């Protein structure tokens, strides 16, 4: 319809937005949240006006990155819950989560700053919590139980700590 066409961004504008998000995600992962929007625009190959049309403030850009990660996280939670054998699925999810938070400086800073307490991100956070805590089949109930033998995976445990404690 005409209204839908009016709201849909042009193809080049959509590509610019995706490129900005991709570059910002990489920049924040490597350098933390202090990376400037000017640097992100430069790396993305767009002008600052293009960046600010899409994300009026740096906080809006950071928020979009956090929201993107929360969406990915929700998808991974749902896949783990739906898995035939949730034990290995949870192991993979848990290991990915630990490594992600270890490697992504920007997301770690966003978590530490309380950014996930913003109302619209809180909804996603609550949805993720609900998804992992609602009773399901006996197999998916195991997903939320950290006492099952071998959890967390040995790859994230320190050999110098007691069994079951993380580094």
């Amino acid at each position: 319809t005409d209204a839908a066409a009016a709201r849909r961004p042009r193809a080049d504008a959509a590509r610019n937005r995706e490129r900005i998000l991709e570059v910002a995600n990489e920049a924040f992962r490597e350098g933390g949240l202090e990376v400037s929007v000017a640097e992100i625009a430069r790396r993305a190959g767009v002008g600052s006006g293009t960046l600010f049309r899409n994300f009026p403030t740096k906080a809006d850009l950071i928020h979009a990155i956090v929201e993107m990660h929360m969406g990915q996280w929700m998808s991974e939670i749902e896949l783990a819950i739906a898995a035939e054998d949730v034990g290995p699925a949870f192991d993979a999810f848990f290991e990915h989560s630990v490594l992600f938070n270890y490697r992504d400086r920007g997301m770690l800073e966003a978590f530490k700053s309380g950014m996930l307490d913003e109302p619209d991100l809180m909804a996603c956070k609550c949805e993720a919590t609900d998804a992992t805590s609602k009773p399901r089949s006996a197999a998916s109930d195991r997903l939320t139980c950290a006492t099952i033998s071998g959890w967390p995976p040995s790859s994230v445990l320190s050999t110098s700590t007691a069994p079951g404690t993380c580094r």
Side-chain angles (χ1 to χ4, degrees):
T1 67
D2 289 334
R7 286 181 292 200
R8 191 173 344 138
R10 294 184 337 246
D12 63 328
R15 279 192 306 272
N16 284 340
R17 180 180 171 79
E18 288 306 310
R19 179 72 181 141
I20 292 166
L21 285 170
E22 177 185 312
V23 168
N25 185 42
E26 182 179 317
F28 291 148
R29 181 177 59 244
E30 294 168 356
L33 300 180
E34 69 270 3
V35 174
S36 73
V37 291
E39 175 64 13
I40 291 167
R42 185 191 65 73
R43 288 188 195 183
V46 300
S48 59
T50 299
L51 190 143
F52 287 117
R53 256 190 309 282
N54 285 281
F55 306 100
T57 67
K58 184 176 182 179
D60 291 328
L61 178 58
I62 294 168
H63 182 93
I65 298 293
V66 170
E67 195 171 50
M68 178 181 70
H69 285 295
M70 291 299 291
Q72 291 168 346
W73 209 321
M74 270 307 299
S75 295
E76 290 184 26
I77 288 170
E78 292 300 327
L79 285 173
I81 289 171
E84 188 81 20
D85 186 354
V86 286
F90 179 76
D91 287 350
F93 170 76
F94 184 79
E95 188 167 2
H96 176 263
S97 297
V98 169
L99 290 173
F100 172 79
N101 286 311
Y102 174 74
R103 293 178 180 153
D104 193 313
R105 184 172 164 193
M107 281 299 291
L108 183 59
E109 290 174 13
F111 282 123
K112 285 181 176 179
S113 72
M115 187 166 267
L116 291 181
D117 296 335
E118 292 180 13
D120 48 343
L121 291 179
M122 185 60 101
C124 187
K125 183 178 170 183
C126 290
E127 187 179 338
T129 302
D130 288 348
T132 58
S133 63
K134 287 181 182 171
R136 287 176 170 66
S137 67
S140 67
D141 284 346
R142 293 181 305 167
L143 180 64
T144 59
C145 181
T147 60
I148 293 176
S149 176
W151 287 7
S154 59
S155 60
V156 295
L157 295 177
S158 170
T159 55
S160 63
T161 58
T165 58
C166 292
R167 294 181 218 205

